[in-house]
Amino acid sequence: MMDASKISGLSEEEAEARRRQGLVNGTEEIKTKTVGQIINGNLITPFNIVNTILAGLILMVGSYKNLLFMGVIFSNILIGTIQEIKAKKTIDRLKLIAAPKAHVLRGGVKQDLPVSELVLDDIMVLSSGNQVCADCVIADGECEVNEALITGEADLIVKKSGDRLLSGSFIGSGSCLAKVEHIGAENYAAKITKSAKYLKKPNSEIMTWINKIIKYTGFSIIPIGLMLFYKQVYISGQPFDRAVVSTVAALIGMIPEGLVLLTSVVLAVSVLRLARHKALVQDLYSIETLARVDTLCLDKTGTITEGTMQVDAVVPLCGISRQEVEDAVAAVMNAVNDDNPTSNALKALDRRPPAWKCTNTVAFSSARKWSGASFQEAGSFLVGAGEFVLKDDFEQIRPEVEKYSSRGQRVLLLAHSKHPLDGGEPPAGISPLALILLSDRIRKNAKKTLEYFSSQGVDLKVISGDNAVTVANIAKKAGLRRADSYIDATTLKTYEELKEASAGYSVFGRVTPQQKLDLIKALKERGHTVAMTGDGVNDVLALKESDCSIAMASGSDASKTVSQVVLLDSDFASMPRIVNEGRRSVNNLQRSASLFLVKAIFSAIIAVLFIFCSCDYPFQPIQFTLINAVTIGYPSFILALEPNRERIRGRFIVNVIKKALPGALTMALNIVLLVLLSGFLNFTQEQISTLAVIITGYTGLMTLFKVCMPFNLKHAALFSVMASAFIIALVFFQPFFAVVDLTLPMVLVLVPMVLAATSLMTVILHMIEKVIMKKIGN
């Protein structure tokens, strides 16, 4: 074994020489899309391709004013591209702050470098919670390694000098110096490490249904378009150019081209808003998932508490002085050299360790729950949880331990044995020496944050490796409801027992990393949408399994790597803001999406109807452009960015359909009634088209009015502006929008029809909505 004092690492000259030779790690971080990819992604979409083909048909017949719909398409592309580029730059900037660093020795000095700047033969300094970012060999020290990302097994593996560490694994406990053996693509787990943040697809209803809408629309456009064109030309005998224009109008109406853009823009704006509040969203759709969460699992340390501890008192259990206790603790801490809040609190006793010769050490692990060291002069000392140190003999001190635990203090046992440590099991002949009382510092805003989630109907569960009674008392101090409902996870022997306990308890103590994972699985199996917060390597498996994972920036590299959201200020109080932002996004997207589907459903219905109707299709592309802009386009973007903190209820597509279907059916019925009425009044095709535009636009505004409910001054202003814009466009730009002159006879017919359409709209809306809500519920 190499002497740690003689390990100085590469010199800067040696490191530079390796860089010139190309022996640099160059591990590619998972990055956002490039600017070119963003432009291509917004430019080349199924809807844009279809719209371009339709524009080509309009150009072919020379009806240039009907190309105005392409102006909307270009605007959509521009807005979407700009917003996504802004979000990309923000995420890239924040990722530089949150990105894991490699700790190396260069010329005997410890440095923090980006992982990509590691070179061959660098000496890495690894400690609990660090991710191994390149294959290496331990040069000095000892640690326990979690290779779950590589092998799928969560067990900690002891690694000593000369053993190999694989990239993608995490240090569970202990510390070591390791020499880099492979770099870049030569690393054993390069691909696994690269995909660590995206082990599973986001649980997003919005993404799923938007993709389905795109697919269904794409499949339906072609046959409907071909049949309608055939009917217009070969049955109705329309001129070719007019048939092309009306067919294009029908297909344009069926395309919800702004829906995809709207979703991207709303989520991108959410990322930018949260970035200003020190929250890095690494997955856009995790905002939606978190807004739907009904169960939030909290890791006590770093979430409810600050993650720091202090020693309150030392309670001797035999004839031993405080000085002797502190000497033993200082000796163990100096020998093991663990870097965790408990060890740091014990080191803060600032006691000089006695000059004992250490013969063996066992580092702390979350599974073992104790650390210890053997000394030639004094035997073995162990510091940790009494249940795990004494095992069956713990009963002799249980009353004393529980007395202090009931006060919310964490109780560690200092124990001694004359026998040396051998492996990860306590030696024989252990005798308790003293209890060490510690306490967590509770975050000042923890109570307010917990009260917020409770008031929102989110079930809170505190999960910790500490004593269950201690955790329950800390949770109670922090304001957790049902904090008295706690259980010691060591009593849960099977997965079935843990699954049953997941429903009945709010506080779980003495939880192992594997049990945290099983607890998340059990909650998901019960139909819950589960979020998990954590900051330690022992939280990694549970974070990956949860529907939405949130890590603290002050936590381990492991937790930040696998989490979808990273709180850069490590402040749990940011969580309500993230949830509210998710609710704003999802609720407003549901409202705005319903406007797009009103148009798409209505257009599909009348396109099919006019295939079998003797009348010609009543709309032109220019008319649909006006209706869409006034009743859908601009209003949807304004509504999508409004404040909205209502709790999310029901499924996305059900909520959207409930809002969209009544309006779409009413529009279609209005057109059917118009066609029937025109046969009695002998309206010309131009007059039918004019009335169709006015009635459809007016009905669209009424749908907008209903979507805006509950109505407020801002909505009133929006509705007034949109209605005024529609009227002004009709009156002053009649020829441009292919609307005939509004003569007195037309007005005399128009006013009663609009009033009838309004009344019909109101009645049908309420009737259909009541039927739908009764059938599929809220």
Side-chain angles (χ1 to χ4, degrees), residues 56 62 130 138 153 221 225 233 523 559 674 692 698:
N130 290 155
I138 296 179
E153 298 295 330
I221 278 178
V233 174
L523 290 168
S559 60
L674 172 62
Y698 189 79

Side-chain angles (χ1 to χ4, degrees), residues 361-566:
T361 61
V362 175
F364 178 84
S365 76
S366 55
R368 188 184 302 112
K369 300 192 185 303
W370 61 266
S371 60
S374 296
F375 302 95
Q376 187 172 320
E377 300 85 349
S380 300
F381 291 97
L382 286 74
V383 178
E387 306 97 302
F388 289 81
V389 173
L390 296 179
K391 296 194 174 179
D392 294 338
D393 294 333
F394 176 67
E395 293 302 321
Q396 60 183 305
I397 65 168
R398 181 185 291 276
E400 190 79 1
V401 171
E402 291 184 349
K403 180 179 72 174
Y404 295 110
S405 296
S406 64
R407 302 174 184 172
Q409 292 177 302
R410 183 177 182 187
V411 183
L412 293 181
L413 172 68
L414 172 66
H416 177 262
S417 173
K418 295 179 181 179
H419 302 284
L421 294 170
D422 184 17
E425 290 296 321
I430 292 181
S431 58
L433 297 182
L435 299 179
I436 304 169
L437 310 182
L438 301 95
S439 62
D440 292 275
R441 289 189 176 93
I442 297 174
R443 291 183 180 275
K444 294 180 180 178
N445 45 26
K447 185 173 184 179
K448 183 178 179 181
T449 306
L450 294 180
E451 287 176 349
Y452 165 81
F453 282 109
S454 295
S455 67
Q456 298 300 309
V458 177
D459 187 19
L460 298 173
K461 296 189 182 296
V462 178
I463 307 172
S464 176
D466 287 344
N467 180 281
V469 178
T470 303
V471 179
N473 276 277
I474 290 174
K476 188 173 184 179
K477 289 180 182 179
L480 179 72
R481 297 179 185 176
R482 298 183 69 240
D484 294 333
S485 175
Y486 61 87
I487 188 171
D488 187 330
T490 59
T491 64
L492 304 174
K493 304 301 182 183
T494 65
Y495 178 74
E496 286 70 27
E497 291 177 349
L498 187 143
K499 185 175 181 179
E500 184 177 348
S502 68
Y505 294 93
S506 295
V507 177
F508 297 79
R510 296 293 182 223
V511 184
T512 64
Q514 182 62 43
Q515 284 180 315
K516 286 188 179 183
L517 171 63
D518 291 341
L519 187 58
I520 299 297
K521 288 181 177 178
L523 290 168
K524 290 174 65 176
E525 286 177 10
R526 289 182 175 275
H528 295 292
T529 302
V530 184
M532 169 78 185
T533 68
D535 65 349
V537 68
N538 59 321
D539 300 319
V540 168
L541 297 175
L543 287 168
K544 287 189 295 181
E545 180 63 27
S546 64
D547 294 304
C548 186
S549 49
I550 305 102
M552 307 295 170
S554 59
S556 66
D557 294 344
S559 60
K560 289 183 288 186
T561 299
V562 301
S563 294
Q564 295 160 314
V565 179
V566 179

Side-chain angles (χ1 to χ4, degrees), residues 555-625:
S556 66
D557 294 344
S559 60
K560 289 183 288 186
T561 299
V562 301
S563 294
Q564 295 160 314
V565 179
V566 179
L567 304 181
L568 297 179
D569 56 2
S570 299
D571 190 356
F572 179 57
S574 301
M575 288 291 293
R577 186 180 295 114
I578 298 176
V579 172
N580 287 334
E581 186 62 35
R583 289 179 175 180
R584 184 197 64 78
S585 300
V586 176
N587 283 323
N588 289 340
L589 274 175
Q590 287 181 166
R591 293 199 303 176
S592 297
S594 66
L595 294 176
F596 285 98
L597 288 193
V598 165
K599 180 199 74 167
I601 295 171
F602 158 69
S603 299
I605 291 173
I606 64 168
V608 172
L609 286 176
F610 276 92
I611 291 174
F612 305 101
C613 178
S614 60
C615 297
D616 296 334
Y617 191 81
F619 293 103
Q620 294 186 30
I622 187 68
Q623 296 168 338
F624 259 133
T625 301

